[in-house]
């Protein structure tokens, strides 16, 4: 009877600890992924998380392994229900990563503090001497959480401000490119002749769709000229209709960007498809190191429906 009482106490303790950890994990997951946190759903998910503890306690080998794999899926689905497969996979992966991180931290802290040896006088001094590990671990955990939140906020911002563009430079189908453009509120460039807002586009991306006469002009060292406008008349007067030099100010001096007037620019956004008036300026640097976008939109292309 005594042994049963002790075993029951250990089961209660395991259920309590497991429930507390599951609650922390689910709430933290919801905050990191900016999911709606509902106490009723979190409570139901935590109750589901107690099933593997009970099954392991009563030693039911045929079901233990299966339930250990199944329950996390059910917990995440109950806590944060979704019909989108990619969103659910993101949630379950996040739950596993947090579980591994928190579990590893607790296990390491337990071992480093040497709680397993008992709490006699000598051990108690040792624990006190090493108690700094716990706040240090908590600080590291908080910093990682903040970094994750900032990364999520950045991804969320970029996702809301990225648009699909189709730019037709003229000619056959090879003159059309499809890219992603980020709305850049700091882009105030305009075509000096037409007044159209400017789209900044990576030159390497545009090269595959540019007509041959424009490609040939890019090989000319026009940037060495203080005023490159006369080159258009000298090299090919027909290019005056298609090319334009857009002035911009750097910290050191005034410079130029080579602009191309495309046949058409189509923007695909949440409000539908629309044609926008724009001149495309070429830049040599990569605009997004992660390849999330290849161009920068002028604010007027969104604010005024692209009538520029």
């Amino acid at each position: 009877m005594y042994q049963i009482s002790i075993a029951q106490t250990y089961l209660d303790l395991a259920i309590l600890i497991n429930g507390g950890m599951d609650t922390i994990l689910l709430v933290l997951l919801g905050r990191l992924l900016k999911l709606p946190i509902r106490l009723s759903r979190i409570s139901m998910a935590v109750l589901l998380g107690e099933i593997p503890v009970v099954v392991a306690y009563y030693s039911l080998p045929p079901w233990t392994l299966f339930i250990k794999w199944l329950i996390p899926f059910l917990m995440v689905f109950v806590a944060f229900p979704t019909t989108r497969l990619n969103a659910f996979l993101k949630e379950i992966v996040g739950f596993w990563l947090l579980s591994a991180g928190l579990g590893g931290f607790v296990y390491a802290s337990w071992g480093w503090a040497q709680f397993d040896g008992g709490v006699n006088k000598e051990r108690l001094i040792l624990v006190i001497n090493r108690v700094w590990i716990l706040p240090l671990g908590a600080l590291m955990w908080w910093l990682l959480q903040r970094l994750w939140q900032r990364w999520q906020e950045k991804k969320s911002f970029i996702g809301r401000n990225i648009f699909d563009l189709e730019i037709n430079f003229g000619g056959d189908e090879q003159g059309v490119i499809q890219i992603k453009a980020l709305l850049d509120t700091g882009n105030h460039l305009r075509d000096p002749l037409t007044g159209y807002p400017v789209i900044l586009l990576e030159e390497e991306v545009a090269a595959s769709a540019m007509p041959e006469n424009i490609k040939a002009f890019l090989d000319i060292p026009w940037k060495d000229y203080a005023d490159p406008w006369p080159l258009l008349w000298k090299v090919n007067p027909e290019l005056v209709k298609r090319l334009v030099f857009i002035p911009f100010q750097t910290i050191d001096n005034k410079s130029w960007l080579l602009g191309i007037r495309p046949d058409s620019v189509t923007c695909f956004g949440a409000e539908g498809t629309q044609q926008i008036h724009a001149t495309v300026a070429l830049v040599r640097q990569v605009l997004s190191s992660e390849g999330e976008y290849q161009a920068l939109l002028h604010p007027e292309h969104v604010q005024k429906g692209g009538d520029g």
Side-chain angles (χ1 to χ4, degrees):
M1 189 69 179
Y2 177 76
Q3 292 179 348
I4 294 177
S5 176
I6 293 295
Q8 186 64 44
T9 301
Y10 286 156
L11 176 60
D12 294 343
L13 182 60
I15 290 176
L16 180 62
I17 294 175
N18 185 75
M21 300 299 282
D22 284 342
T23 302
I24 293 174
L25 289 172
L26 291 171
V27 172
L28 186 58
L29 178 66
R31 289 193 59 187
L32 292 177
L33 298 184
K34 300 197 178 300
L35 302 171
I37 299 176
R38 299 177 182 175
L39 182 59
S40 59
R41 291 192 173 278
I42 296 293
S43 300
M44 288 189 291
V46 169
L47 289 176
L48 284 173
E50 303 295 0
I51 295 178
V53 177
V54 176
V55 171
Y57 170 75
Y58 286 105
S59 302
L60 302 175
W63 297 97
T64 303
L65 183 60
F66 174 74
I67 289 178
K68 281 184 177 180
W69 282 97
L70 176 63
I71 289 300
F73 287 93
L74 294 178
M75 290 176 62
V76 172
F77 182 77
V78 169
F80 311 107
T82 179
T83 57
R84 295 181 299 169
L85 179 60
N86 59 341
F88 178 71
L89 291 178
K90 184 177 181 180
E91 293 168 7
I92 193 66
V93 170
F95 182 74
W96 276 337
L97 289 175
L98 289 174
S99 300
L102 187 57
F105 166 70
V106 172
Y107 181 81
S109 300
W110 190 275
W112 290 335
Q114 294 188 8
F115 290 124
D116 293 338
V119 191
N120 53 37
K121 184 176 180 180
E122 181 181 357
R123 288 298 186 187
L124 185 59
I125 296 173
L126 185 60
V127 169
I128 293 175
N129 289 338
R130 297 191 179 188
V131 77
W132 60 268
I133 296 176
L134 298 179
L136 177 62
L139 177 62
M140 293 178 61
W141 185 267
W142 181 82
L143 290 174
L144 289 174
Q145 177 186 347
R146 294 295 299 172
L147 289 174
W148 176 268
Q149 285 182 317
R150 289 184 180 181
W151 182 78
Q152 288 293 114
E153 290 171 358
K154 177 184 176 182
K155 290 288 184 181
S156 177
F157 172 81
I158 291 178
R160 292 193 308 268
N161 291 277
I162 282 187
F163 299 83
D164 292 315
L165 295 186
E166 183 179 89
I167 303 177
N168 183 359
F169 287 106
D172 53 17
E173 294 182 356
Q174 293 182 352
V176 179
I177 59 171
Q178 294 180 340
I179 59 168
K180 290 187 179 296
L182 176 69
L183 174 62
D184 181 12
T185 56
N187 176 14
H188 302 295
L189 297 175
R190 290 184 176 275
D191 188 313
L193 301 181
T194 65
Y196 287 164
V198 168
I199 296 174
L200 298 174
L201 175 64
E202 294 177 8
E203 183 176 317
E204 185 176 350
V205 175
S208 62
M210 286 189 297
E212 291 300 326
N213 56 349
I214 297 179
K215 284 184 181 180
F217 186 83
L218 291 178
D219 295 331
I220 299 174
W222 59 268
K223 291 188 176 182
D224 297 339
Y225 293 77
D227 183 8
W229 280 100
L231 281 176
L232 291 177
W233 295 97
K234 184 177 180 181
V235 174
N236 186 351
E238 291 295 324
L239 292 177
V240 176
K241 302 177 181 178
R242 300 297 305 277
L243 297 183
V244 62
F245 291 103
I246 303 169
F248 73 99
Q249 187 70 38
T250 63
I251 298 177
D252 299 328
N253 59 354
K254 181 180 179 180
S255 188
W256 304 87
L257 290 175
L258 179 62
I260 305 174
R261 298 188 180 105
D263 285 1
S264 64
V265 179
T266 306
C267 180
F268 305 90
E271 299 180 356
T273 303
Q274 60 181 359
Q275 297 291 322
I276 62 176
H277 299 297
T279 296
V280 177
L282 304 180
V283 294
R284 293 193 172 180
Q285 68 266 32
V286 176
L287 298 176
S288 171
S289 59
E290 299 179 2
E292 295 170 312
Y293 52 89
Q294 300 79 41
L296 298 176
L297 275 175
H298 192 284
E300 281 191 17
H301 289 141
V302 176
Q303 296 170 359
K304 296 185 179 180
D307 293 335

mmCIF file with all atom_site columns, all heavy atoms in Angstrom, residues 205-224:
data_model
loop_
_atom_site.group_PDB
_atom_site.id
_atom_site.type_symbol
_atom_site.label_atom_id
_atom_site.label_alt_id
_atom_site.label_comp_id
_atom_site.label_asym_id
_atom_site.label_entity_id
_atom_site.label_seq_id
_atom_site.pdbx_PDB_ins_code
_atom_site.Cartn_x
_atom_site.Cartn_y
_atom_site.Cartn_z
_atom_site.occupancy
_atom_site.B_iso_or_equiv
_atom_site.pdbx_formal_charge
_atom_site.auth_seq_id
_atom_site.auth_comp_id
_atom_site.auth_asym_id
_atom_site.auth_atom_id
_atom_site.pdbx_PDB_model_num
ATOM 1   N N   . VAL A 1 205 ? 18.619 40.611 -63.402 1.00 0.00 ? 205 VAL A N   1
ATOM 2   C CA  . VAL A 1 205 ? 17.302 40.026 -63.644 1.00 0.00 ? 205 VAL A CA  1
ATOM 3   C C   . VAL A 1 205 ? 16.715 40.558 -64.936 1.00 0.00 ? 205 VAL A C   1
ATOM 4   O O   . VAL A 1 205 ? 16.104 39.816 -65.722 1.00 0.00 ? 205 VAL A O   1
ATOM 5   C CB  . VAL A 1 205 ? 16.359 40.326 -62.466 1.00 0.00 ? 205 VAL A CB  1
ATOM 6   C CG1 . VAL A 1 205 ? 14.950 39.828 -62.761 1.00 0.00 ? 205 VAL A CG1 1
ATOM 7   C CG2 . VAL A 1 205 ? 16.887 39.680 -61.202 1.00 0.00 ? 205 VAL A CG2 1
ATOM 8   N N   . ALA A 1 206 ? 16.914 41.854 -65.200 1.00 0.00 ? 206 ALA A N   1
ATOM 9   C CA  . ALA A 1 206 ? 16.336 42.474 -66.397 1.00 0.00 ? 206 ALA A CA  1
ATOM 10  C C   . ALA A 1 206 ? 17.065 42.080 -67.666 1.00 0.00 ? 206 ALA A C   1
ATOM 11  O O   . ALA A 1 206 ? 16.469 42.102 -68.757 1.00 0.00 ? 206 ALA A O   1
ATOM 12  C CB  . ALA A 1 206 ? 16.353 43.989 -66.246 1.00 0.00 ? 206 ALA A CB  1
ATOM 13  N N   . ALA A 1 207 ? 18.337 41.699 -67.562 1.00 0.00 ? 207 ALA A N   1
ATOM 14  C CA  . ALA A 1 207 ? 19.156 41.446 -68.748 1.00 0.00 ? 207 ALA A CA  1
ATOM 15  C C   . ALA A 1 207 ? 18.571 40.373 -69.655 1.00 0.00 ? 207 ALA A C   1
ATOM 16  O O   . ALA A 1 207 ? 18.678 40.457 -70.884 1.00 0.00 ? 207 ALA A O   1
ATOM 17  C CB  . ALA A 1 207 ? 20.573 41.066 -68.327 1.00 0.00 ? 207 ALA A CB  1
ATOM 18  N N   . SER A 1 208 ? 17.935 39.373 -69.073 1.00 0.00 ? 208 SER A N   1
ATOM 19  C CA  . SER A 1 208 ? 17.407 38.263 -69.883 1.00 0.00 ? 208 SER A CA  1
ATOM 20  C C   . SER A 1 208 ? 16.247 38.680 -70.770 1.00 0.00 ? 208 SER A C   1
ATOM 21  O O   . SER A 1 208 ? 15.939 37.987 -71.743 1.00 0.00 ? 208 SER A O   1
ATOM 22  C CB  . SER A 1 208 ? 16.955 37.125 -68.955 1.00 0.00 ? 208 SER A CB  1
ATOM 23  O OG  . SER A 1 208 ? 15.906 37.571 -68.099 1.00 0.00 ? 208 SER A OG  1
ATOM 24  N N   . ALA A 1 209 ? 15.602 39.817 -70.467 1.00 0.00 ? 209 ALA A N   1
ATOM 25  C CA  . ALA A 1 209 ? 14.418 40.229 -71.225 1.00 0.00 ? 209 ALA A CA  1
ATOM 26  C C   . ALA A 1 209 ? 14.641 41.497 -72.038 1.00 0.00 ? 209 ALA A C   1
ATOM 27  O O   . ALA A 1 209 ? 13.755 41.891 -72.803 1.00 0.00 ? 209 ALA A O   1
ATOM 28  C CB  . ALA A 1 209 ? 13.239 40.441 -70.276 1.00 0.00 ? 209 ALA A CB  1
ATOM 29  N N   . MET A 1 210 ? 15.787 42.132 -71.894 1.00 0.00 ? 210 MET A N   1
ATOM 30  C CA  . MET A 1 210 ? 16.016 43.394 -72.600 1.00 0.00 ? 210 MET A CA  1
ATOM 31  C C   . MET A 1 210 ? 16.295 43.170 -74.075 1.00 0.00 ? 210 MET A C   1
ATOM 32  O O   . MET A 1 210 ? 16.984 42.208 -74.452 1.00 0.00 ? 210 MET A O   1
ATOM 33  C CB  . MET A 1 210 ? 17.187 44.147 -71.964 1.00 0.00 ? 210 MET A CB  1
ATOM 34  C CG  . MET A 1 210 ? 16.855 44.780 -70.629 1.00 0.00 ? 210 MET A CG  1
ATOM 35  S SD  . MET A 1 210 ? 18.160 45.869 -70.031 1.00 0.00 ? 210 MET A SD  1
ATOM 36  C CE  . MET A 1 210 ? 19.508 44.705 -69.827 1.00 0.00 ? 210 MET A CE  1
ATOM 37  N N   . PRO A 1 211 ? 15.797 44.045 -74.947 1.00 0.00 ? 211 PRO A N   1
ATOM 38  C CA  . PRO A 1 211 ? 16.131 43.969 -76.382 1.00 0.00 ? 211 PRO A CA  1
ATOM 39  C C   . PRO A 1 211 ? 17.631 44.109 -76.595 1.00 0.00 ? 211 PRO A C   1
ATOM 40  O O   . PRO A 1 211 ? 18.342 44.701 -75.781 1.00 0.00 ? 211 PRO A O   1
ATOM 41  C CB  . PRO A 1 211 ? 15.361 45.159 -76.976 1.00 0.00 ? 211 PRO A CB  1
ATOM 42  C CG  . PRO A 1 211 ? 14.251 45.424 -76.002 1.00 0.00 ? 211 PRO A CG  1
ATOM 43  C CD  . PRO A 1 211 ? 14.808 45.096 -74.649 1.00 0.00 ? 211 PRO A CD  1
ATOM 44  N N   . GLU A 1 212 ? 18.119 43.605 -77.720 1.00 0.00 ? 212 GLU A N   1
ATOM 45  C CA  . GLU A 1 212 ? 19.556 43.556 -77.971 1.00 0.00 ? 212 GLU A CA  1
ATOM 46  C C   . GLU A 1 212 ? 20.173 44.945 -78.047 1.00 0.00 ? 212 GLU A C   1
ATOM 47  O O   . GLU A 1 212 ? 21.303 45.155 -77.602 1.00 0.00 ? 212 GLU A O   1
ATOM 48  C CB  . GLU A 1 212 ? 19.833 42.783 -79.268 1.00 0.00 ? 212 GLU A CB  1
ATOM 49  C CG  . GLU A 1 212 ? 19.531 41.298 -79.182 1.00 0.00 ? 212 GLU A CG  1
ATOM 50  C CD  . GLU A 1 212 ? 20.365 40.600 -78.108 1.00 0.00 ? 212 GLU A CD  1
ATOM 51  O OE1 . GLU A 1 212 ? 21.538 41.013 -77.905 1.00 0.00 ? 212 GLU A OE1 1
ATOM 52  O OE2 . GLU A 1 212 ? 19.855 39.660 -77.482 1.00 0.00 ? 212 GLU A OE2 1
ATOM 53  N N   . ASN A 1 213 ? 19.454 45.921 -78.621 1.00 0.00 ? 213 ASN A N   1
ATOM 54  C CA  . ASN A 1 213 ? 20.058 47.255 -78.745 1.00 0.00 ? 213 ASN A CA  1
ATOM 55  C C   . ASN A 1 213 ? 20.263 47.916 -77.384 1.00 0.00 ? 213 ASN A C   1
ATOM 56  O O   . ASN A 1 213 ? 21.204 48.678 -77.173 1.00 0.00 ? 213 ASN A O   1
ATOM 57  C CB  . ASN A 1 213 ? 19.209 48.140 -79.656 1.00 0.00 ? 213 ASN A CB  1
ATOM 58  C CG  . ASN A 1 213 ? 17.769 48.252 -79.170 1.00 0.00 ? 213 ASN A CG  1
ATOM 59  O OD1 . ASN A 1 213 ? 17.339 47.529 -78.275 1.00 0.00 ? 213 ASN A OD1 1
ATOM 60  N ND2 . ASN A 1 213 ? 17.023 49.173 -79.769 1.00 0.00 ? 213 ASN A ND2 1
ATOM 61  N N   . ILE A 1 214 ? 19.380 47.589 -76.414 1.00 0.00 ? 214 ILE A N   1
ATOM 62  C CA  . ILE A 1 214 ? 19.558 48.122 -75.067 1.00 0.00 ? 214 ILE A CA  1
ATOM 63  C C   . ILE A 1 214 ? 20.696 47.403 -74.362 1.00 0.00 ? 214 ILE A C   1
ATOM 64  O O   . ILE A 1 214 ? 21.503 48.016 -73.647 1.00 0.00 ? 214 ILE A O   1
ATOM 65  C CB  . ILE A 1 214 ? 18.255 48.011 -74.262 1.00 0.00 ? 214 ILE A CB  1
ATOM 66  C CG1 . ILE A 1 214 ? 17.166 48.866 -74.911 1.00 0.00 ? 214 ILE A CG1 1
ATOM 67  C CG2 . ILE A 1 214 ? 18.468 48.428 -72.820 1.00 0.00 ? 214 ILE A CG2 1
ATOM 68  C CD1 . ILE A 1 214 ? 15.838 48.799 -74.200 1.00 0.00 ? 214 ILE A CD1 1
ATOM 69  N N   . LYS A 1 215 ? 20.793 46.085 -74.563 1.00 0.00 ? 215 LYS A N   1
ATOM 70  C CA  . LYS A 1 215 ? 21.904 45.331 -73.978 1.00 0.00 ? 215 LYS A CA  1
ATOM 71  C C   . LYS A 1 215 ? 23.238 45.871 -74.465 1.00 0.00 ? 215 LYS A C   1
ATOM 72  O O   . LYS A 1 215 ? 24.201 45.993 -73.698 1.00 0.00 ? 215 LYS A O   1
ATOM 73  C CB  . LYS A 1 215 ? 21.788 43.852 -74.341 1.00 0.00 ? 215 LYS A CB  1
ATOM 74  C CG  . LYS A 1 215 ? 20.747 43.081 -73.558 1.00 0.00 ? 215 LYS A CG  1
ATOM 75  C CD  . LYS A 1 215 ? 20.810 41.610 -73.938 1.00 0.00 ? 215 LYS A CD  1
ATOM 76  C CE  . LYS A 1 215 ? 19.768 40.805 -73.198 1.00 0.00 ? 215 LYS A CE  1
ATOM 77  N NZ  . LYS A 1 215 ? 19.826 39.365 -73.572 1.00 0.00 ? 215 LYS A NZ  1
ATOM 78  N N   . ALA A 1 216 ? 23.307 46.214 -75.762 1.00 0.00 ? 216 ALA A N   1
ATOM 79  C CA  . ALA A 1 216 ? 24.553 46.732 -76.325 1.00 0.00 ? 216 ALA A CA  1
ATOM 80  C C   . ALA A 1 216 ? 24.926 48.067 -75.692 1.00 0.00 ? 216 ALA A C   1
ATOM 81  O O   . ALA A 1 216 ? 26.110 48.349 -75.452 1.00 0.00 ? 216 ALA A O   1
ATOM 82  C CB  . ALA A 1 216 ? 24.406 46.885 -77.842 1.00 0.00 ? 216 ALA A CB  1
ATOM 83  N N   . PHE A 1 217 ? 23.912 48.871 -75.374 1.00 0.00 ? 217 PHE A N   1
ATOM 84  C CA  . PHE A 1 217 ? 24.202 50.169 -74.765 1.00 0.00 ? 217 PHE A CA  1
ATOM 85  C C   . PHE A 1 217 ? 24.761 50.000 -73.344 1.00 0.00 ? 217 PHE A C   1
ATOM 86  O O   . PHE A 1 217 ? 25.557 50.816 -72.892 1.00 0.00 ? 217 PHE A O   1
ATOM 87  C CB  . PHE A 1 217 ? 22.941 51.030 -74.735 1.00 0.00 ? 217 PHE A CB  1
ATOM 88  C CG  . PHE A 1 217 ? 23.180 52.431 -74.267 1.00 0.00 ? 217 PHE A CG  1
ATOM 89  C CD1 . PHE A 1 217 ? 23.644 53.405 -75.139 1.00 0.00 ? 217 PHE A CD1 1
ATOM 90  C CD2 . PHE A 1 217 ? 22.981 52.784 -72.934 1.00 0.00 ? 217 PHE A CD2 1
ATOM 91  C CE1 . PHE A 1 217 ? 23.889 54.699 -74.700 1.00 0.00 ? 217 PHE A CE1 1
ATOM 92  C CE2 . PHE A 1 217 ? 23.218 54.066 -72.492 1.00 0.00 ? 217 PHE A CE2 1
ATOM 93  C CZ  . PHE A 1 217 ? 23.683 55.032 -73.382 1.00 0.00 ? 217 PHE A CZ  1
ATOM 94  N N   . LEU A 1 218 ? 24.356 48.944 -72.651 1.00 0.00 ? 218 LEU A N   1
ATOM 95  C CA  . LEU A 1 218 ? 24.849 48.718 -71.293 1.00 0.00 ? 218 LEU A CA  1
ATOM 96  C C   . LEU A 1 218 ? 26.355 48.478 -71.258 1.00 0.00 ? 218 LEU A C   1
ATOM 97  O O   . LEU A 1 218 ? 27.005 48.712 -70.232 1.00 0.00 ? 218 LEU A O   1
ATOM 98  C CB  . LEU A 1 218 ? 24.124 47.526 -70.658 1.00 0.00 ? 218 LEU A CB  1
ATOM 99  C CG  . LEU A 1 218 ? 22.636 47.715 -70.320 1.00 0.00 ? 218 LEU A CG  1
ATOM 100 C CD1 . LEU A 1 218 ? 22.062 46.429 -69.747 1.00 0.00 ? 218 LEU A CD1 1
ATOM 101 C CD2 . LEU A 1 218 ? 22.452 48.854 -69.339 1.00 0.00 ? 218 LEU A CD2 1
ATOM 102 N N   . ASP A 1 219 ? 26.910 47.982 -72.378 1.00 0.00 ? 219 ASP A N   1
ATOM 103 C CA  . ASP A 1 219 ? 28.354 47.718 -72.417 1.00 0.00 ? 219 ASP A CA  1
ATOM 104 C C   . ASP A 1 219 ? 29.174 48.987 -72.577 1.00 0.00 ? 219 ASP A C   1
ATOM 105 O O   . ASP A 1 219 ? 30.397 48.969 -72.410 1.00 0.00 ? 219 ASP A O   1
ATOM 106 C CB  . ASP A 1 219 ? 28.664 46.758 -73.575 1.00 0.00 ? 219 ASP A CB  1
ATOM 107 C CG  . ASP A 1 219 ? 28.029 45.388 -73.363 1.00 0.00 ? 219 ASP A CG  1
ATOM 108 O OD1 . ASP A 1 219 ? 27.851 45.008 -72.189 1.00 0.00 ? 219 ASP A OD1 1
ATOM 109 O OD2 . ASP A 1 219 ? 27.702 44.716 -74.367 1.00 0.00 ? 219 ASP A OD2 1
ATOM 110 N N   . ILE A 1 220 ? 28.509 50.100 -72.911 1.00 0.00 ? 220 ILE A N   1
ATOM 111 C CA  . ILE A 1 220 ? 29.223 51.372 -73.073 1.00 0.00 ? 220 ILE A CA  1
ATOM 112 C C   . ILE A 1 220 ? 29.464 51.978 -71.685 1.00 0.00 ? 220 ILE A C   1
ATOM 113 O O   . ILE A 1 220 ? 28.541 52.028 -70.860 1.00 0.00 ? 220 ILE A O   1
ATOM 114 C CB  . ILE A 1 220 ? 28.399 52.343 -73.947 1.00 0.00 ? 220 ILE A CB  1
ATOM 115 C CG1 . ILE A 1 220 ? 28.185 51.725 -75.330 1.00 0.00 ? 220 ILE A CG1 1
ATOM 116 C CG2 . ILE A 1 220 ? 29.085 53.691 -74.049 1.00 0.00 ? 220 ILE A CG2 1
ATOM 117 C CD1 . ILE A 1 220 ? 27.277 52.547 -76.209 1.00 0.00 ? 220 ILE A CD1 1
ATOM 118 N N   . PRO A 1 221 ? 30.668 52.473 -71.410 1.00 0.00 ? 221 PRO A N   1
ATOM 119 C CA  . PRO A 1 221 ? 30.953 53.060 -70.076 1.00 0.00 ? 221 PRO A CA  1
ATOM 120 C C   . PRO A 1 221 ? 30.318 54.438 -69.915 1.00 0.00 ? 221 PRO A C   1
ATOM 121 O O   . PRO A 1 221 ? 31.010 55.440 -69.704 1.00 0.00 ? 221 PRO A O   1
ATOM 122 C CB  . PRO A 1 221 ? 32.480 53.108 -70.050 1.00 0.00 ? 221 PRO A CB  1
ATOM 123 C CG  . PRO A 1 221 ? 32.880 53.250 -71.476 1.00 0.00 ? 221 PRO A CG  1
ATOM 124 C CD  . PRO A 1 221 ? 31.878 52.454 -72.265 1.00 0.00 ? 221 PRO A CD  1
ATOM 125 N N   . TRP A 1 222 ? 28.999 54.489 -69.956 1.00 0.00 ? 222 TRP A N   1
ATOM 126 C CA  . TRP A 1 222 ? 28.303 55.776 -69.887 1.00 0.00 ? 222 TRP A CA  1
ATOM 127 C C   . TRP A 1 222 ? 28.423 56.434 -68.517 1.00 0.00 ? 222 TRP A C   1
ATOM 128 O O   . TRP A 1 222 ? 28.282 57.655 -68.384 1.00 0.00 ? 222 TRP A O   1
ATOM 129 C CB  . TRP A 1 222 ? 26.826 55.597 -70.263 1.00 0.00 ? 222 TRP A CB  1
ATOM 130 C CG  . TRP A 1 222 ? 26.070 54.626 -69.396 1.00 0.00 ? 222 TRP A CG  1
ATOM 131 C CD1 . TRP A 1 222 ? 25.887 53.296 -69.620 1.00 0.00 ? 222 TRP A CD1 1
ATOM 132 C CD2 . TRP A 1 222 ? 25.412 54.917 -68.161 1.00 0.00 ? 222 TRP A CD2 1
ATOM 133 N NE1 . TRP A 1 222 ? 25.162 52.727 -68.603 1.00 0.00 ? 222 TRP A NE1 1
ATOM 134 C CE2 . TRP A 1 222 ? 24.843 53.699 -67.699 1.00 0.00 ? 222 TRP A CE2 1
ATOM 135 C CE3 . TRP A 1 222 ? 25.238 56.071 -67.408 1.00 0.00 ? 222 TRP A CE3 1
ATOM 136 C CZ2 . TRP A 1 222 ? 24.133 53.630 -66.500 1.00 0.00 ? 222 TRP A CZ2 1
ATOM 137 C CZ3 . TRP A 1 222 ? 24.528 56.004 -66.217 1.00 0.00 ? 222 TRP A CZ3 1
ATOM 138 C CH2 . TRP A 1 222 ? 23.981 54.791 -65.779 1.00 0.00 ? 222 TRP A CH2 1
ATOM 139 N N   . LYS A 1 223 ? 28.724 55.634 -67.485 1.00 0.00 ? 223 LYS A N   1
ATOM 140 C CA  . LYS A 1 223 ? 28.858 56.201 -66.143 1.00 0.00 ? 223 LYS A CA  1
ATOM 141 C C   . LYS A 1 223 ? 30.104 57.066 -65.993 1.00 0.00 ? 223 LYS A C   1
ATOM 142 O O   . LYS A 1 223 ? 30.217 57.825 -65.026 1.00 0.00 ? 223 LYS A O   1
ATOM 143 C CB  . LYS A 1 223 ? 28.875 55.085 -65.100 1.00 0.00 ? 223 LYS A CB  1
ATOM 144 C CG  . LYS A 1 223 ? 27.537 54.373 -64.937 1.00 0.00 ? 223 LYS A CG  1
ATOM 145 C CD  . LYS A 1 223 ? 27.554 53.408 -63.771 1.00 0.00 ? 223 LYS A CD  1
ATOM 146 C CE  . LYS A 1 223 ? 26.180 52.779 -63.572 1.00 0.00 ? 223 LYS A CE  1
ATOM 147 N NZ  . LYS A 1 223 ? 26.140 51.861 -62.412 1.00 0.00 ? 223 LYS A NZ  1
ATOM 148 N N   . ASP A 1 224 ? 31.026 56.953 -66.946 1.00 0.00 ? 224 ASP A N   1
ATOM 149 C CA  . ASP A 1 224 ? 32.227 57.774 -66.888 1.00 0.00 ? 224 ASP A CA  1
ATOM 150 C C   . ASP A 1 224 ? 31.970 59.204 -67.341 1.00 0.00 ? 224 ASP A C   1
ATOM 151 O O   . ASP A 1 224 ? 32.839 60.073 -67.174 1.00 0.00 ? 224 ASP A O   1
ATOM 152 C CB  . ASP A 1 224 ? 33.334 57.157 -67.754 1.00 0.00 ? 224 ASP A CB  1
ATOM 153 C CG  . ASP A 1 224 ? 33.766 55.787 -67.244 1.00 0.00 ? 224 ASP A CG  1
ATOM 154 O OD1 . ASP A 1 224 ? 33.523 55.512 -66.050 1.00 0.00 ? 224 ASP A OD1 1
ATOM 155 O OD2 . ASP A 1 224 ? 34.326 55.012 -68.036 1.00 0.00 ? 224 ASP A OD2 1
#
